[in-house]
Amino acid sequence: MAAAAGLRALGAKGSGWLQRGPWAPLTTGFCSRGPAGIGRPEPGPRPTIARQRDGIRNIILSDPKRRNALSLAMLKSLQSDMLHEAESQDLKVIIISAEGPVFSSGHDLKELTDEQGPEYHAEVFQTCSEVMMLIQSHPVPIIAMVNGLATAAGCQLVASCDIAVASDKSSFATPGVNIGLFCSTPAVALGRAVPRKVALEMLFTGEPISAQEALLHGLLSRVVPEERLEEETMRIARKVASQSRPVLALGKAAFYRQLTQDLRTAYHLTSQTMVDNLGLPDGQEGIKAFLQKRKPIWSH
């Protein structure tokens, strides 16, 4: 219920997607909000590609020539891909990956000059914040699959995902300070994913950390050789997709809700969540299946 409310608050909208190929690629024309103007994203090819099969949706940042910069068009396209039929029981897990050697270089600096002005800048950062919050409020788990460099808002995107798997060639940085633009919004996600002193060193120096360092500090869930990245990510995604969607949605929402609470309140909230979980058909099915020594048959 909390997840559904969060999606409605962020403006979930349907869109027409065309299915092609074994992975059912999904595409739709991007349309900007309001009239086009200086710096405004123009209608044209979408900078993301979405494919879905067996409950797993893979959203690919597909603008490698621009280092998969999180332009306003990219952010809106990513948001649309996550929101599309988010409440469908056929959707179990989302993977966010990227084409090219850079996962994402962060915001498009061409959109952040004074030619666009503060209103446009505010829209960029507001949209980015909505995307990052959507990841946590989304009813299904969202996995980042990283193969390469993730900087600034690109690092923020990785930090915001529920699970993050990276190749051993990947690296992460918040280098905004080097160009006079402190990574204040990436710091929100980064500061919640790694220890404070690690985050502040990254933010104050702009220096990158390796995948192994990111794993050590909690930015990543696991690191694998590049040739095993897709295999390992898909293994995790298939395992998640095999679980009960209503149970995962309830548990994910409760996990993030309790994080901001004091200990007593957190236990009060999660105790009620356990009771609610037992009231779900899949909650009872799982217990009965365990006692009867059989595999559960989930409703979704």
Side-chain angles (χ1 to χ4, degrees):
M1 293 294 291
L7 287 170
R8 286 193 293 270
L10 286 166
K13 296 180 181 179
S15 58
W17 289 21
L18 302 176
Q19 298 187 358
R20 291 181 298 194
W23 255 92
L26 307 170
T27 60
T28 182
F30 173 80
C31 297
S32 60
R33 299 178 198 158
I38 294 176
R40 295 284 172 179
E42 297 288 344
R46 302 179 80 245
T48 62
I49 299 171
R51 300 186 176 100
Q52 185 168 325
R53 183 175 66 187
D54 299 331
I56 302 170
R57 180 176 299 169
N58 190 1
I59 301 173
I60 305 166
L61 309 183
S62 185
D63 194 5
K65 290 183 179 179
R66 297 169 65 190
R67 296 163 63 89
N68 294 313
L70 296 182
S71 62
L72 187 57
M74 177 73 85
L75 288 166
K76 289 181 177 179
S77 187
L78 177 58
Q79 184 180 48
S80 174
D81 288 344
M82 287 193 289
L83 286 171
H84 178 75
E85 296 185 353
E87 296 297 337
S88 170
Q89 300 303 313
D90 293 330
L91 177 63
K92 298 294 190 68
V93 61
I94 292 173
I95 298 171
I96 299 176
S97 60
E99 293 180 356
V102 176
F103 177 78
S104 175
S105 59
H107 290 294
D108 185 347
L109 295 182
K110 293 180 180 179
E111 294 186 342
L112 303 183
T113 66
D114 55 11
E115 293 181 16
Q116 283 75 34
E119 289 187 7
Y120 184 79
H121 297 160
E123 183 181 5
V124 169
F125 293 114
Q126 178 61 34
T127 303
C128 185
S129 298
E130 289 176 358
V131 169
M132 303 304 164
M133 291 188 290
L134 172 60
I135 290 172
Q136 290 191 3
S137 65
H138 202 286
V140 305
I142 298 180
I143 304 171
M145 182 173 75
V146 185
N147 187 29
L149 180 65
T151 65
C155 184
Q156 178 185 4
L157 179 58
V158 176
S160 297
C161 287
D162 303 311
I163 299 171
V165 185
S167 70
D168 52 10
K169 63 175 281 188
S170 300
S171 57
F172 306 84
T174 48
V177 68
N178 295 330
I179 61 167
L181 183 62
F182 196 84
C183 287
S184 295
T185 45
V188 174
L190 183 66
R192 284 163 169 75
V194 305
R196 180 181 302 178
K197 289 179 173 59
V198 174
L200 288 174
E201 181 177 343
M202 292 178 66
L203 291 162
F204 291 162
T205 68
E207 294 179 348
I209 63 172
S210 68
Q212 289 295 342
E213 289 174 304
L215 177 65
L216 175 66
H217 297 310
L219 182 59
L220 298 175
S221 308
R222 61 185 62 218
V223 174
V224 296
E226 182 180 10
E227 62 271 16
R228 288 189 49 227
L229 177 60
E230 184 174 356
E231 173 190 349
E232 182 63 14
T233 305
M234 287 301 297
R235 184 192 67 79
I236 296 170
R238 290 190 186 101
K239 181 63 177 176
V240 172
S242 72
Q243 311 293 353
S244 163
R245 176 182 157 125
V247 170
L248 283 177
L250 182 69
K252 176 178 173 176
F255 176 81
Y256 284 114
R257 190 164 64 249
Q258 62 84 27
L259 282 179
T260 59
Q261 307 297 324
D262 62 81
L263 192 63
R264 182 176 298 277
T265 303
Y267 272 119
H268 173 75
L269 289 173
T270 53
S271 293
Q272 184 57 51
T273 300
M274 296 292 286
V275 173
D276 294 341
N277 197 156
L278 288 171
L280 293 175
D282 283 352
Q284 290 301 311
E285 164 62 14
I287 293 173
K288 291 175 182 176
F290 180 82
L291 295 175
Q292 296 169 6
K293 296 180 172 56
R294 60 175 176 82
K295 289 184 178 181
I297 302 173
W298 304 128
S299 60
H300 297 97

